[in-house]
Amino acid sequence: MIGNSAGRAFIGSFTSAGGRGITAAAVDRDTGALTVLGSTDAVPDPSFLTVAPGGAALYAVGESAPGVAAAFALDGDVPALLGPVRAVDGDAPTHLALAANHLVTANYTSGGVTALPVLADGSLGAVASVLRHKGNGPDTGRQGAPHAHQVLADPSGNWVVSVDLGTDSVRVCALDPATGALRLHSETALRPGTGPRHLAFHPSGSLAYVLGELEPTLTVCRWDAAAGRLDALGETLVLPEHEAADDAARTYPSEVVVAHDGRFVWTANRGHDSISVLTLDESGEKAALVATVGCGGRWPRDLTLDPSGQWLYAANEHSGNVSWFAVDAGTGVPRHAGSVEVPAASCIVLL
């Protein structure tokens, strides 16, 4: 077991590309450094992870066809399966979130979201419901069908929000905590062809920032938790204009993170292999690009900010490493501080 003075990190990876599955690491809170403790390949392609409040359990999707999800106990240095691996009745789940006593997955290839009950011991029950998305977008190569890419609970805990790259939209769903039934409540259309991938909420709970994958854009939205409604306010490029328009060097943004104090937004940009820094005005409704820095590797698939707000982590899939950065408290600009080898790294979560 690691000492109580250290934090913990869990890193997902693509086993089909040489990854180790889920890698556990100790986190030095003073330096941000990661030290690998071990790994488990109990689930194929665990591309995204989430941790239960208080670290009671770890959950993973298996981005396979058919897709799966699994729970892991965190009693030892390396996560251990907790209960059976469960089918999600969908293909290629890419993201997951805990909401209303359930684990909800976003199923990219089949285009929809699945709810599985979380049992008293933290393990998963069989599928309670599946809500299948409908629609498409103008990019025939990427948007011929729905592609749910992210799912998360809103700050109020009353809604489940899913971001669909294939339909250029964000759906708001109600989830019955007793039955696991998912019900579509509203849908917000974003600009066609932007291919929304991930969303992050402002700490005020009244704004959200949607990152496009097919165009390097950040869409600022107002979020009304009482009504369960998302309204787009405007867009900002996450790269300098001349680089965003370069078709010969396409960029595919992957993750968006908001500072704990609501002053900055960071995005990870695959292809450009960078982290963008945007400042937010006092209202949070206007974002401005101020800098881009190297991601410390290639193809940054995920970004995570530590609880203190001092350290930013990038999971670099193609270079097979996780890099960490010291965040300048005044400017928000991250400074590369180190990295550790993790083949085919796809995400990192902290405890």
Side-chain angles (χ1 to χ4, degrees):
M1 293 288 291
I2 63 174
N4 291 331
S5 61
R8 301 185 74 181
F10 303 98
I11 304 159
S13 66
F14 288 99
T15 55
S16 60
R20 300 169 184 148
I22 300 172
T23 295
V27 183
D28 186 320
R29 293 192 176 100
D30 294 327
T31 66
L34 302 178
T35 301
V36 170
L37 301 172
S39 60
T40 174
D41 61 358
V43 173
D45 289 342
S47 63
F48 217 90
L49 314 172
T50 193
V51 180
L58 176 75
Y59 298 91
V61 291
E63 193 174 331
S64 52
V68 297
F72 291 83
L74 298 177
D75 300 328
D77 283 350
V78 177
L81 271 178
L82 179 62
V85 176
R86 295 290 190 181
V88 300
D89 291 358
D91 292 340
T94 59
H95 201 270
L96 73 171
L98 292 163
N101 304 323
H102 287 77
L103 184 76
V104 188
T105 68
N107 310 319
Y108 181 83
T109 302
S110 54
V113 294
T114 297
L116 305 98
V118 176
L119 306 181
D121 65 353
S123 64
L124 297 174
V127 168
S129 67
V130 179
L131 181 64
R132 304 194 187 280
H133 293 182
K134 298 179 181 179
N136 53 38
D139 186 330
T140 56
R142 294 291 308 277
Q143 297 182 307
H147 293 304
H149 218 310
Q150 185 199 32
V151 63
L152 69 166
D154 88 297
S156 76
N158 294 326
W159 307 101
V160 172
V161 178
S162 60
V163 182
D164 196 303
L165 182 150
T167 62
D168 290 315
S169 64
V170 178
R171 289 169 172 80
V172 179
C173 301
L175 174 60
D176 188 318
T179 66
L182 286 157
R183 175 180 57 82
L184 180 63
H185 172 74
S186 65
E187 182 174 0
T188 299
L190 301 180
R191 185 166 60 82
T194 53
R197 177 184 173 97
H198 276 199
L199 175 155
F201 285 99
H202 188 275
S204 67
S206 62
L207 295 164
Y209 307 91
V210 185
L211 183 64
E213 176 177 329
L214 302 185
E215 291 190 17
T217 58
L218 186 76
T219 302
V220 180
C221 301
R222 182 174 292 111
W223 170 244
D224 184 338
R229 180 180 175 86
L230 190 74
D231 292 303
L233 300 177
E235 290 183 17
T236 300
L237 288 172
V238 300
L239 294 178
E241 189 171 359
H242 68 282
E243 297 179 33
D246 187 354
D247 288 336
R250 286 290 301 273
T251 296
Y252 302 91
S254 59
E255 183 60 290
V256 54
V257 173
V258 183
H260 302 321
D261 61 7
R263 295 167 57 213
F264 308 109
V265 170
W266 298 277
T267 72
N269 310 308
R270 296 169 301 172
H272 196 261
D273 291 340
S274 65
I275 299 170
S276 293
V277 185
L278 298 96
T279 57
L280 296 173
D281 70 355
E282 189 173 346
S283 72
E285 295 183 359
K286 293 184 178 180
L289 176 67
V290 295
T292 60
V293 300
C295 67
R298 290 185 294 111
W299 211 251
R301 191 178 181 91
D302 190 35
L303 278 183
T304 298
L305 186 66
D306 88 313
S308 74
Q310 295 177 294
W311 304 101
L312 189 66
Y313 295 83
N316 299 311
E317 182 185 351
H318 289 180
S319 55
N321 68 308
V322 173
S323 297
W324 55 91
F325 300 79
V327 176
D328 186 293
T331 65
V333 175
R335 175 182 55 82
H336 186 258
S339 67
V340 66
E341 179 189 3
V342 183
S346 57
C347 84
I348 176 169
V349 295
L350 301 172
L351 175 61

